[in-house]
Amino acid sequence: MTPKILLAITGGISAYKSAILARLLIKNGHQVRVMMTPSACEFITPLTFQALTGNEVHTELLDAQAERGMGHIELAKWADLVVIAPASANTIGKLANGLADNLVTAVILATTAPVMLAPAMNQAMWGNTIVQDNLAKLARFGFTIIAPDSGEQACGDVGAGRLPEPETLCEQISQFLTVQNTAQTLAGKMVVITAGATLEPIDPVRYLSNHSTGKMGYALAKACVGAGAKVIIIAGEKVSLPTPLGAEKCTIGTADEMLKVCLQVCEKADIFIATAAVADFKVANIATQKLKKTADNDGLTLHLVKNPDVLATISTTYPHLLTVGFAAETQDIENYAKGKLIAKNLDMIAVNDVSDKTIGFGSDDNAMTVFFAEKYGLDKVNLAKMSKDKIAERLVGCVANLLK
Ligand code: CTP
């Protein structure tokens, strides 16, 4: 499942940037909860974060009511990653010395999740040896420090200590999670991925096909290799992308050929990911000679018959496989996606809206919604528009989660 981020806000004028950060993290499909120190509440209200995250904001350590809800130990256990932004010199000092005098410091002491912190303070405070010693100590304890920006500060000083822009913070958090996520989560697994378009001959020189380029499948192959899996790509012959380092590629032409190869390689596989745009129909009688125009004939009628469904056949033939489908829809997206999830007996399906021309076929970006088989009891995951590489990493995170 997508990582759960606990965003800790400490006192500082840059706390307003954390509101945008919370919004960006949610837009990227993360689950976000917020905890605040008392001084953070002086700069920005908990209500702002409650409205942005849809979750109650945690501010109190010694509050019976709050502890009856999600207590500080539960909060510490809930988080997959804690991000302190902004991290004040005061909180940095407390953490470096093991203090737990408010909710934020107590939760951070109690959590086993990795902690990233983005210091933000006046440039003179930032330059102070005590602050730098405390940060060095936290880095030794395994905290990840996000370097502050330099520039004009709210107090009028110029120098280092500014909280980076929310977009930059969000990017750094995503990169951190990618490394964590793809840290060999598919080690020892064999993944078969179909990619690109099939090509259905009409005669020796013509064919029926579609616009799929294979980019999504190749991005997934790269992410799976990164996660430690052995990867075989079964690609349509029009795919012209370089095979990702560490993956094997097998080229096919028609849907029938794709199915034949998949049936062979999937026997030993653990995961099957079907990104290929398989032609739904093929020509019933492929002409052995080139079709010719004739003077008395204004049209040509092709008799098409259904192609095999590669994904559905693989999921039925090899029920041990974790199967992932993709769907491109132009309307009623959720219903169609869920229908395919059930009809094709899948564990997971990622669906995109191909009516949006800025994503999907041929584009470098994509936006998707992921649905899971009912047995997992998981909610859908929204992946906002981002590069296909990033989407692929997130999807691999979803797959790895289903294997747990
Ligand atoms: N798929 C497949 N073999 C087919 C058709 C589809 O393996 N003959 C796979 C695709 O790779 C994708 C999923 O099934 O992962 C959904 O494909 P899609 O074309 O959207 O669904 P269809 O079942 O063909 O339904 P429709 O075209 O009616 O939307």
Side-chain angles (χ1 to χ4, degrees):
M1 183 47 49
T2 51
K4 300 192 273 289
I5 299 178
L6 179 56
L7 181 58
I9 297 151
T10 72
I13 184 61
S14 57
Y16 73 93
K17 291 186 184 173
S18 311
I20 304 164
L21 175 62
R23 207 160 170 260
L24 290 174
L25 291 171
I26 288 168
K27 244 179 117 182
N28 281 359
H30 297 297
Q31 298 181 56
V32 178
R33 281 187 172 272
V34 173
M35 59 177 177
M36 300 172 75
T37 61
S39 26
C41 299
E42 299 290 324
F43 287 94
I44 187 163
T45 70
L47 190 61
T48 305
F49 291 99
Q50 185 182 308
L52 289 170
T53 63
N55 287 320
E56 181 199 347
V57 173
H58 306 267
T59 55
E60 301 295 332
L61 178 60
L62 304 171
D63 181 285
Q65 184 73 26
E67 285 291 300
R68 261 207 305 275
M70 193 182 232
H72 71 285
I73 298 296
E74 268 174 277
L75 202 53
K77 285 184 181 157
W78 176 87
D80 293 319
L81 171 69
V82 180
V83 177
I84 318 172
S88 66
N90 186 36
T91 295
I92 289 168
K94 287 180 189 176
L95 291 174
N97 290 285
L99 299 186
D101 66 337
N102 62 31
L103 181 72
V104 168
T105 48
V107 166
I108 290 168
L109 217 54
T111 193
T112 53
V115 181
M116 295 181 85
L117 64 88
M121 62 198 74
N122 165 268
Q123 53 83 28
M125 289 169 88
W126 173 250
N128 191 305
T129 317
I130 302 170
V131 173
Q132 291 304 322
D133 272 3
N134 285 336
L135 281 169
K137 201 167 161 190
L138 289 176
R140 277 202 308 281
F141 292 150
F143 286 57
T144 300
I145 319 285
I146 301 174
D149 277 353
S150 281
E152 196 175 323
Q153 302 200 308
C155 57
D157 281 5
V158 177
R162 280 166 53 99
L163 186 67
E165 293 309 312
E167 291 74 14
T168 311
L169 290 172
C170 190
E171 180 60 29
Q172 298 220 16
I173 292 164
S174 293
Q175 274 175 24
F176 180 86
L177 287 169
T178 300
V179 176
Q180 291 266 312
N181 254 349
T182 56
Q184 307 302 294
T185 47
L186 299 184
K189 302 291 178 195
M190 177 174 160
V191 185
V192 176
I193 303 175
T194 67
T198 64
L199 199 144
E200 310 297 336
I202 298 170
D203 68 13
V205 295
R206 302 180 179 94
Y207 59 79
L208 298 173
S209 193
N210 59 65
H211 295 301
S212 172
T213 57
K215 276 185 187 164
M216 195 63 234
Y218 274 58
L220 274 158
K222 202 158 62 173
C224 288
V225 169
K230 174 178 161 54
V231 177
I232 302 179
I233 308 171
I234 316 295
E237 61 185 66
K238 286 196 305 164
V239 176
S240 59
L241 303 166
T243 307
L245 210 65
E248 254 179 73
K249 178 187 164 182
C250 178
T251 303
I252 54 83
T254 64
D256 284 318
E257 285 168 23
M258 178 175 272
L259 178 59
K260 194 170 160 214
V261 176
C262 287
L263 282 168
Q264 280 164 9
V265 294
C266 280
E267 201 176 346
K268 291 200 175 77
D270 303 285
I271 300 162
F272 182 67
I273 305 180
T275 70
V278 184
D280 288 327
F281 295 95
K282 62 185 167 191
V283 176
N285 298 303
I286 303 165
T288 50
Q289 301 299 330
K290 188 180 166 199
L291 294 173
K292 291 298 216 183
K293 296 186 286 294
T294 51
D296 56 349
N297 205 342
D298 279 345
L300 170 71
T301 304
L302 291 175
H303 179 208
L304 303 180
V305 288
K306 246 190 179 161
N307 256 330
D309 190 307
V310 178
L311 177 54
T313 312
I314 294 295
S315 75
T316 325
T317 313
Y318 300 117
H320 72 279
L321 282 183
L322 192 153
T323 46
V324 180
F326 280 74
E329 305 290 353
T330 54
Q331 56 166 341
D332 207 3
I333 287 163
E334 183 153 350
N335 273 337
Y336 280 127
K338 283 184 174 165
K340 285 176 189 176
L341 187 75
I342 296 164
K344 300 193 188 202
N345 194 24
L346 309 179
D347 292 282
M348 175 175 141
I349 191 161
V351 57
N352 65 358
D353 179 354
V354 282
S355 64
D356 181 348
K357 293 287 176 231
T358 65
I359 57 170
F361 281 157
S363 156
D364 287 331
D365 288 333
N366 212 344
M368 298 198 134
T369 309
V370 188
F371 301 90
F372 304 95
E374 219 172 274
K375 65 178 177 186
Y376 295 107
L378 296 170
D379 283 342
K380 67 177 176 186
V381 170
N382 286 314
L383 301 174
K385 186 174 165 184
M386 57 185 119
S387 72
K388 283 186 175 167
D389 281 348
K390 288 233 176 307
I391 288 258
E393 283 160 3
R394 302 290 302 281
L395 290 172
V396 167
C398 292
V399 170
N401 187 51
L402 298 186
L403 292 170
K404 278 182 194 163

